[in-house]
Amino acid sequence: MDENLGKVVGNKQILFKGYIEGVPKESDMELKLGNEIKLEAPKGSGAFLVKNLYLSCDPYMRGRMRDFHGSYLPPFVPGSVVEGFGVSKVIDSDNPNFKPGDIVSCFTGWEEYTLFRNTEQLRKVQPDDIPLSYHIGLLGMPGFTAYVGFYEVCAPKRDEQVFVSAASGAVGQLVGQLAKLHGCYVVGSAGSNQKVDLLKNKLGFDEAFNYKQEPDLDAALKKYFPEGIDIYFENVGGAMLDAVLVNMRVHGRIAVCGMVSQAGIGASDQQGIRNLFSLVPKRVKMHGFLQSDYLHLFPRFVEQVGSLYKEGKIAYLEDMNHGLESAPAAFAALFTGKNIGKQVVCVART
Amino acid sequence: MDENLGKVVGNKQILFKGYIEGVPKESDMELKLGNEIKLEAPKGSGAFLVKNLYLSCDPYMRGRMRDFHGSYLPPFVPGSVVEGFGVSKVIDSDNPNFKPGDIVSCFTGWEEYTLFRNTEQLRKVQPDDIPLSYHIGLLGMPGFTAYVGFYEVCAPKRDEQVFVSAASGAVGQLVGQLAKLHGCYVVGSAGSNQKVDLLKNKLGFDEAFNYKQEPDLDAALKKYFPEGIDIYFENVGGAMLDAVLVNMRVHGRIAVCGMVSQAGIGASDQQGIRNLFSLVPKRVKMHGFLQSDYLHLFPRFVEQVGSLYKEGKIAYLEDMNHGLESAPAAFAALFTGKNIGKQVVCVART
């Protein structure tokens, strides 16, 4: 039981300062101290109070930092607390389905404590030998994105040639490992030699390369894929996508998960993609997707990927910052590639 | 029976002069007179001789005018006769399956007479009340491209919002009419007011616009598709594609048939597409295709589209030049949009 239960305490929060242009910076968010909260779930409210343990930093959140209401998620509200996926512990509850000590994976605030009045985007986590933080990574939205993107969107076949960009990231690292388990040949690209080493020696990719050290991406792809690429799992956009397009094989598939290289760039300054015509002679399918369209597969995903992890058949790289105050810098680092693996912020261990 | 049968005659031909850059010009091909041919199918050869009646001018042929061997069709050979789809009449035969007078739809030379030794890419045409030239248009490769592109690639549903570019062209005009018959709302773009008028008043499109008179393609699309586009049948590429990408609806489909606006442009000068990230939040599928992957559906296509034509439910616009010598100019005109409807060259009527 939380020692402060029933007391009024200062609830540290990370606020979104205002709409941005360009690549997110640490200074786009700020720590606010001392917003008072009474640590209880009010009687008759059906609500429950959680202590946030781990918060997830994800590139999609950049999309909520602009004043655009036509997307699948509304923008953050300037001056309000940042939101994202998290793993949290129930400390008080007026809801019979949740009791103190329960661990939930949820869509929560970037703050120490959050009161939940509705349980729609929330799953109870059964404690086992999987680290709690993995429920916002390997077994959370990023892992599920990899799972549905690879199996449902890419429709892979054994022996196919698979290329993954941002391959050591939260999503890419699982895509590559699932592809290996499926019997594919897998190459990943990343932005440092350390990441390349991890891809080859810890995550089991057949090959990996540092795109920053390749003066000619087309030549690099031709070297690793002399017969072309069947499946491209697209996380970066820009010059890499253009090079991939001319290296696709007939009937290839491109799963468009994200384009992080273009994340901070206004539409008029986006790097134009020049080789799209290649889609026609190669009969390539390019398919943008969101994991949220496949939620009916989530239980199967947790079961299968959880088992693979417990059996030691897959690994997961996590980059953890400590303390809520470290969250803005941890988020900004996603866009410069500083993180190695899934970026998480540990607010509290228990 | 041909009056010249058995004689040696001069066979007029259109030769491909050499590899080109940029948009094709009339001068990229030349008429050669007097290449001698004996008008007979040699005994024991199994061959048959045809007189070419109608030749098809198609944008894909541009791809064969460059020195690139990695595509689905090899380049033309400089100094050799141009090849393409045609409708021809058998005038002598050593093949029991073809007899003089038979009409065939075939892949033939741009010349007066052609000797066929193999019958792989060749179909016998049953004369009926459909104009012979339609077998390289409405009932040929362009019509089949529209048929499989719309039904197989776009997977249309009733009441969906369909946009077709190059809508009065050989392919686009049938896409739009099939979409109307399927219960869709259909808008087409074209490059002249005359074409726009034909789209609305002869081909039954709900709306049409002249893209050359629209200073803001995004605004034009928002006007015709206030709720967005479910299906885009892509024939042009470039600025139109970029404008479409930000106007697609969730789960929209883009069938990439061609990108004629970019046909004459080297890869490094292609207009870059900047709005591809839209594929992700809108979960759009963009699918390059070739009709040749669907040939098992060809008999059904001829049956269905032939019936629709005979019942007066669809129309077909054809632009016919007369005389083999007019073929180079007719082909070049495709890339400036001079043709109205399917571009055909009549070499001989019978």
Side-chain angles (χ1 to χ4, degrees), chain B residues 99-142:
Chain B
K99 60 178 197 301
D102 281 354
I103 302 292
V104 293
S105 162
C106 52
F107 201 73
T108 191
W110 280 23
E111 57 192 355
E112 290 178 289
Y113 300 98
T114 302
L115 186 67
F116 278 93
R117 293 180 185 277
N118 105 35
T119 60
E120 269 173 29
Q121 298 223 37
L122 204 138
R123 283 188 302 274
K124 227 185 276 194
V125 166
Q126 299 308 328
D128 58 10
D129 46 359
I130 292 176
L132 280 187
S133 61
Y134 279 25
H135 290 279
I136 47 176
L138 179 67
L139 296 180
M141 182 276 288

Side-chain angles (χ1 to χ4, degrees), chain A residues 9-14 31-35 37 52 81 109-113 323-325 347:
Chain A
V9 301
N11 188 19
K12 277 196 271 185
Q13 296 181 312
I14 303 292
L31 180 70
K32 185 182 175 193
L33 298 165
N35 191 34
I37 183 173
N52 293 310
V81 68
W110 280 23
E111 57 193 352
E112 291 178 288
Y113 299 99
L324 182 66
E325 61 281 5
V347 183

Side-chain angles (χ1 to χ4, degrees), chain B residues 150 153-164 183-187 221 224-233 244 247-255 282-286:
Chain B
F150 183 63
V153 179
C154 296
K157 292 191 277 289
R158 196 181 159 76
D159 293 327
E160 285 195 316
Q161 312 277 304
V162 176
F163 178 52
V164 185
C184 300
Y185 166 80
V186 185
V187 179
L221 292 172
Y224 293 110
F225 296 99
E227 293 173 15
I229 299 167
D230 293 299
I231 290 175
Y232 174 45
F233 199 97
V244 166
N247 283 286
M248 291 298 291
R249 288 178 93 171
V250 167
H251 297 305
R253 287 85 71 201
I254 298 177
K282 301 292 182 64
R283 294 91 104 186
V284 170
K285 283 185 198 175
M286 191 167 175

Side-chain angles (χ1 to χ4, degrees), chain B residues 150-230:
Chain B
F150 183 63
Y151 292 118
E152 302 298 313
V153 179
C154 296
K157 292 191 277 289
R158 196 181 159 76
D159 293 327
E160 285 195 316
Q161 312 277 304
V162 176
F163 178 52
V164 185
S165 55
S168 69
V171 177
Q173 58 176 309
L174 183 56
V175 173
Q177 292 179 89
L178 294 177
K180 279 305 298 173
L181 290 169
H182 203 73
C184 300
Y185 166 80
V186 185
V187 179
S189 65
S192 77
N193 292 343
Q194 185 187 3
K195 292 177 183 177
V196 166
D197 180 64
L198 287 165
L199 288 170
K200 290 202 279 193
N201 298 316
K202 184 164 171 64
L203 299 171
F205 282 58
D206 292 295
E207 296 285 353
F209 65 91
N210 178 351
Y211 72 90
K212 292 178 180 170
Q213 291 185 346
E214 295 290 344
D216 182 340
L217 293 174
D218 177 50
L221 292 172
K222 285 191 165 50
K223 177 176 142 197
Y224 293 110
F225 296 99
E227 293 173 15
I229 299 167
D230 293 299

Side-chain angles (χ1 to χ4, degrees), chain A residues 318-338:
Chain A
E318 192 178 66
D319 200 331
M320 193 176 293
N321 283 33
H322 291 272
L324 182 66
E325 61 281 5
S326 72
F331 175 70
L334 291 176
F335 299 90
T336 57
K338 263 193 220 154

Side-chain angles (χ1 to χ4, degrees), chain A residues 105-305:
Chain A
S105 162
C106 52
F107 201 73
T108 190
W110 280 23
E111 57 193 352
E112 291 178 288
Y113 299 99
T114 303
L115 186 70
F116 279 93
R117 292 179 185 278
N118 107 34
T119 60
E120 267 172 32
Q121 299 221 36
L122 203 139
R123 285 187 300 276
K124 227 185 271 194
V125 166
Q126 300 309 328
D128 58 11
D129 45 1
I130 291 177
L132 280 188
S133 60
Y134 281 24
H135 291 281
I136 47 176
L138 178 67
L139 296 180
M141 182 275 288
F144 188 51
T145 299
Y147 181 86
V148 299
F150 183 63
Y151 291 118
E152 302 298 313
V153 179
C154 296
K157 292 191 278 289
R158 195 179 160 79
D159 293 326
E160 284 195 316
Q161 312 277 303
V162 176
F163 178 53
V164 186
S165 55
S168 69
V171 177
Q173 58 175 310
L174 183 56
V175 173
Q177 293 180 88
L178 294 177
K180 279 306 299 172
L181 290 169
H182 203 73
C184 300
Y185 166 80
V186 185
V187 178
S189 64
S192 77
N193 293 343
Q194 185 187 4
K195 291 178 184 177
V196 166
D197 180 64
L198 287 165
L199 288 169
K200 290 202 278 194
N201 299 316
K202 184 164 171 66
L203 299 171
F205 282 58
D206 293 293
E207 297 284 355
F209 65 91
N210 179 350
Y211 73 90
K212 292 179 180 169
Q213 291 184 347
E214 295 290 344
D216 182 341
L217 293 174
D218 177 49
L221 292 172
K222 286 193 164 48
K223 178 175 143 198
Y224 292 111
F225 296 98
E227 293 173 16
I229 298 166
D230 293 299
I231 290 174
Y232 174 45
F233 199 98
E234 162 68 308
N235 288 311
V236 300
M240 185 65 89
L241 174 57
D242 242 351
V244 166
L245 281 166
V246 294
N247 283 285
M248 291 299 290
R249 289 179 92 172
V250 167
H251 297 306
R253 287 84 71 202
I254 299 176
V256 188
C257 175
M259 294 189 173
V260 74
S261 79
Q262 309 295 298
I265 308 175
S268 60
D269 300 320
Q270 295 279 333
Q271 178 162 351
I273 300 298
R274 296 190 155 76
N275 296 322
L276 269 182
F277 182 73
S278 296
L279 297 179
V280 180
K282 301 293 182 63
R283 295 90 107 187
V284 170
K285 283 185 199 176
M286 192 166 175
H287 188 169
F289 75 100
L290 292 178
Q291 50 85 29
S292 49
D293 285 335
Y294 301 88
L295 290 177
H296 58 289
L297 300 176
F298 199 88
R300 194 178 83 186
F301 150 74
V302 170
E303 160 69 26
Q304 289 183 359
V305 174

